[in-house]
Structures are given as structure tokens and as C-alpha cells.
Amino acid sequence: MINRRNFLTTVALGTASAAFLSACGQSSSSGQTGSAQNPVTITYTWWGNDDRAERTRKAIALFESKNPDVKVNGNFTDFAGYWQKRATEAAGGGLPDVMQWDLSYLRDYGQRNQLLDLGTVKINTDAFDKSLLPSGQIRGKQFGIPTSTNAFAVYYDPAKLKTLGIAEPGAGWNYKEFNAFLTEVGSKGNGTLFGGTDYTGVWWMFNIWLRQNNIKAFTDEGKLGFSKDDLKKWWNQAGSLRGTGAIVGEDKVTQLLPKSPFGSNVTATEATWDNFMAGYLADSGAKELKLVPVPSDDPDNLGLFLKPSMLMVASAKTKYKEAAARFIDFMVNDPEVGQIFKTSRGVPASKTQRDGTTFEGTDKLVVDYEKSIEKYLKDAPEPPIVGFGTLEASFKRISSELNYGKQTVDSAADAWFKEAEDLIKQNA
């Protein structure tokens, strides 16, 4: 089990005994190096908005100032466009040297030998909790290093609850109590404020529920670890809430895009990742938002874990392995990089970086939440199966059809399982 308390106290900054991911016999021939007069240039790409781009460019400039023998050519795009570009590049054999990466796509590219095994280069992982690193591993090889972590939570707006005369929720609620809370908000909201969105339509919430019931989402062989009946039981959790004030209608959710119902002040709660705090505050204009753990019918097992909010990877075909590794090490470990990003990428995964970062205001709320749930955290799941990004999208789409009333729970489960099994068969 991840022990955040130990995670936050065990590793000293800059110790000479720092452990390195490195292969035996690794030599400089694995990647060319440059000089201050004639630096090598590596390419780096990431997804995000203008704010992340500005922070990333500051980090790149800092790296170059400390590593004058390496230049970094950076570029970014939105999340959807990002993966379209990577697919095109991979087909042509031209992935960038270093890339920001999402857990959902790690196995797709790692198993196809398109990513560099970072165990063959020097990257300091001494400041990472060892139970977090497997999230970037496939068949024993370390293809990704987490930049940061996030955890699932239920957001709520205390001011809205006070206006309705509803007590703030606390930790330790079960699904019956959670549903009752959403129902009370919807009833007193009179059609202008809903309890929340349909939490059963979120794949990662379903994954947490499976963990609460000691069911694996996927087997080691890349198959589904849960049954169709498990999925039906999950979607039926919110069956009595659909079509009531407890859950905002899917048509309203669509109208509010690209903002969320919670950010648009249409719902009082939202179950999602904790590092969305800054975005929700900006969108809603709320003075304060709070976080509590997700519900569970087993008070000793909340199914929570620290998920890499993103990872750093390198192309298997990079000509500059040493320079790429040095840049990755810098981006995940350097304390000044932590000061640049704060929690905009999530809570820094490296203790070295985390200890060198000052967290205040919104950033402190996120860090404090992850400290508060440390006793419940279990090992992060290994990378999802090949094609997971497609499965997650279809999970959302089919659950939306369920909320529109276009599907029953039985037909929705049948439809998703067919898509999932077809995809698994194609990638076998």
C-alpha cells in the first residue's frame, strides 16, 4: 500500500546514494551528446492550454540554461489532436524524442516497441514511491516516469449547500448516503441546481468501485477482469436518480460544453480528479470549493490510488538517448520545475521536486487532500490494455445514451461489452 507519510519523508534531496534506473554496461554510445558550442537538439511535445505552454517553456528555458549542450525544440496541441499526431508519426517512424504521455496510451505504444525502455538510461527514481513506478511499466520495462499524481475525489461548493440549508458532507459515506445527498440537493434546487452529473458514467469511478469490491478491471492477459453483471450493477447504482433533480440531464450537459456542469454552477458536486481544482474555481467563480473522498460500502477500502496525471516518455528511435534522459530527469525531479508548475500537472510525484515547491491557496488544497487520504491509498494500477482510450470513450458515450433514455441498463451493458470484446480481439 502507498504510504504517503513515508512517501513524503524518506528521501533526502541530493544524496550521493541516489538510485538510478540504468542498464548494466550502459555507455555513451547509446546516445550522442553535444557541447555548449555545438549543442544537440531534441524535440519535446505536450498537450495542454496556453497556461501549460507558458509554464513548460519556462521549464525548457531553465533546463537549457543548466544544460548548455542540449537545446529543446518544444511544441504543443490540444489533447485530441495530440494523439492523432502521435499516431501519424508512429506510422511514419518519426515520434518526437521526448513526449508528455497519458497512462491510457502507454501500453498501445510500449508494447509495439515505439517507446524507449527508460531502464537503459540514467534517470533518478530514488525520490519516487516504488509502488507508483509500476504504473509506467509494461512487462517489467519502465517506459514512463510519472511527472505528478492525482487522486479521485468528490468536489462540492459549500456556499451552495449553505444556501439550500444542506449540511456539508464528510468522509466515510456509502453509496446510499451519497445518492440521498444528491437527491436532497436536487429536491431543494428546484430545477436550477442539480445534485451532480451521473457518476456511474465515469470510467475511473467505475474502476474505483471495482477496486472497492476487490475486482480487477483488466487481467494480466489483457482481458476484462469484470463481468457484464458487474457493469449492470454499477450502472444501476444511479438508476433511481436518472430523470430527477439528483442528476443533471444529458441534454443540459451537452449545452454547457466545453465547461462542465459543476464549473457552470449547475451542479453542487462533481466526482473527478483532484487536480481540476484551479479550473473549477476559475470557471465557477466560487470563493471556495472543497474535496471529500468518494463513497464506498466498505469503510476500510475506498478503492483510491495515486494515478500518474501524466508521464514522461521517449521515442525508441531517438538518436539522443542521453540528452532525452537528462531532460526527463530534470522535468520530473528539479525543484525549480516544481515551482513553475505547482499542481497544474498534479501533485509532483518526486519527493525532491515536491519538497522544493511552495504550495499555497488552491495548490495547497489539492496537496492537503492527498495527504488526508494517504491511509486509504493502494498501489496504482498498471497501464490499461491496448485500445483503452477507445474503451473509455465508448463507456462515456454509451452511459450518455443511458441518461438520454436511448438505452436500458441491460442494452447499454450489452453494447459496451460487444465493443470491448471486439477491440480486445483485434489487439490480441
Side-chain angles (χ1 to χ4, degrees):
M1 178 180 292
I2 291 177
N3 187 323
R4 273 298 263 213
R5 199 168 288 106
N6 290 339
F7 189 20
L8 295 168
T9 58
T10 55
V11 182
L13 174 61
T15 57
S17 60
F20 288 90
L21 270 174
S22 69
C24 295
Q26 177 69 24
S27 69
S28 61
S29 63
S30 65
Q32 300 174 27
T33 56
S35 65
Q37 294 73 33
N38 187 28
V40 299
T41 299
I42 61 173
T43 53
Y44 173 55
T45 187
W46 70 94
W47 70 83
N49 56 16
D50 290 339
D51 175 71
R52 180 173 295 167
E54 182 180 352
R55 293 172 191 262
T56 303
R57 289 180 182 125
K58 287 180 180 179
I60 289 173
L62 182 63
F63 172 80
E64 291 177 337
S65 71
K66 294 185 177 184
N67 298 268
D69 58 325
V70 181
K71 292 294 182 183
V72 180
N73 182 10
N75 67 83
F76 78 106
T77 187
D78 62 273
F79 189 79
Y82 187 86
W83 299 109
Q84 293 170 1
K85 287 189 175 183
R86 301 297 83 79
T88 301
E89 291 164 347
L95 285 171
D97 295 298
V98 181
M99 296 160 281
Q100 179 179 292
W101 211 253
D102 187 80
L103 190 65
S104 300
Y105 293 88
L106 191 68
R107 194 176 294 275
D108 297 50
Y109 287 76
Q111 285 189 181
R112 292 168 181 156
N113 301 314
Q114 292 165 333
L115 301 180
L116 178 65
D117 176 5
L118 299 178
T120 64
V121 292
K122 291 183 178 180
I123 298 176
N124 186 340
T125 59
D126 204 38
F128 291 78
D129 190 278
K130 300 312 178 209
S131 57
L132 180 63
L133 290 174
S135 62
Q137 296 172 359
I138 300 171
R139 297 172 182 170
K141 294 183 178 181
Q142 192 81 42
F143 289 107
I145 304 293
T147 62
S148 44
T149 62
N150 54 10
F152 231 75
V154 176
Y155 283 83
Y156 70 90
D157 186 329
K160 288 184 174 63
L161 297 183
K162 185 177 181 180
T163 299
L164 297 178
I166 298 175
E168 293 183 30
W173 52 0
N174 58 35
Y175 284 97
K176 183 178 179 180
E177 292 167 336
F178 184 47
N179 285 355
F181 173 82
L182 296 177
T183 299
E184 184 181 12
V185 173
S187 175
K188 294 182 177 180
N190 294 319
T192 59
L193 184 67
F194 295 82
T197 51
D198 185 355
Y199 62 89
T200 67
V202 181
W203 164 265
W204 286 106
M205 191 69 181
F206 174 51
N207 185 289
I208 287 169
W209 178 80
L210 289 174
R211 290 165 65 96
Q212 291 171 353
N213 289 277
N214 300 308
I215 302 170
K216 294 182 69 173
F218 304 108
T219 68
D220 294 337
E221 294 74 34
K223 308 293 184 182
L224 297 178
F226 58 94
S227 68
K228 193 181 293 186
D229 284 341
D230 292 327
L231 180 55
K232 290 178 182 179
K233 184 176 181 181
W234 171 246
W235 271 335
N236 274 318
Q237 284 272 17
S240 63
L241 307 184
R242 297 187 185 103
T244 75
I247 291 179
V248 63
E250 202 66 25
D251 54 342
K252 186 71 171 177
V253 174
T254 302
Q255 290 170 11
L256 295 171
L257 291 173
K259 284 189 177 181
S260 68
F262 186 65
S264 302
N265 295 305
V266 171
T267 62
T269 70
E270 183 65 41
T272 190
W273 299 108
D274 58 11
N275 65 315
F276 290 179
M277 176 68 79
Y280 281 148
L281 283 168
D283 286 348
S284 67
K287 292 183 179 180
E288 179 186 27
L289 297 176
K290 292 186 178 181
L291 297 166
V292 290
V294 298
S296 176
D297 292 331
D298 180 352
D300 296 322
N301 181 9
L302 301 191
L304 293 173
F305 56 91
L306 294 179
K307 173 183 173 289
S309 49
M310 55 192 70
L311 307 103
M312 295 286 283
V313 304
S315 168
K317 295 184 178 181
T318 179
K319 296 178 181 179
Y320 307 112
K321 291 183 181 180
E322 189 277 334
R326 214 189 320 160
F327 180 60
I328 290 174
D329 185 273
F330 180 83
M331 291 292 279
V332 300
N333 281 310
D334 191 273
E336 291 182 76
V337 172
Q339 280 290 95
I340 290 170
F341 284 101
K342 300 288 188 176
T343 63
S344 66
R345 299 187 301 181
V347 177
S350 161
K351 182 182 185 299
T352 302
Q353 193 168 93
R354 198 166 54 250
D355 283 355
T357 304
T358 303
F359 300 107
E360 298 174 336
T362 301
D363 297 308
K364 189 174 185 299
L365 290 174
V366 178
V367 173
D368 286 349
Y369 171 70
E370 291 195 8
K371 287 181 181 178
S372 76
I373 60 172
E374 59 187 14
K375 67 179 180 180
Y376 299 109
L377 297 171
K378 295 188 177 182
D379 287 357
E382 293 184 356
I385 61 173
V386 173
F388 172 72
T390 301
L391 290 185
E392 185 178 13
S394 67
F395 191 90
K396 175 61 179 174
R397 173 176 50 79
I398 291 172
S399 61
S400 294
E401 292 174 357
L402 183 61
N403 281 323
Y404 267 122
K406 296 178 180 178
Q407 297 258 24
T408 64
V409 167
D410 286 353
S411 67
D414 287 341
W416 189 83
F417 256 75
K418 183 179 187 311
E419 289 191 25
E421 289 170 346
D422 286 348
L423 184 70
I424 289 170
K425 190 179 298 182
Q426 289 169 15
N427 292 307

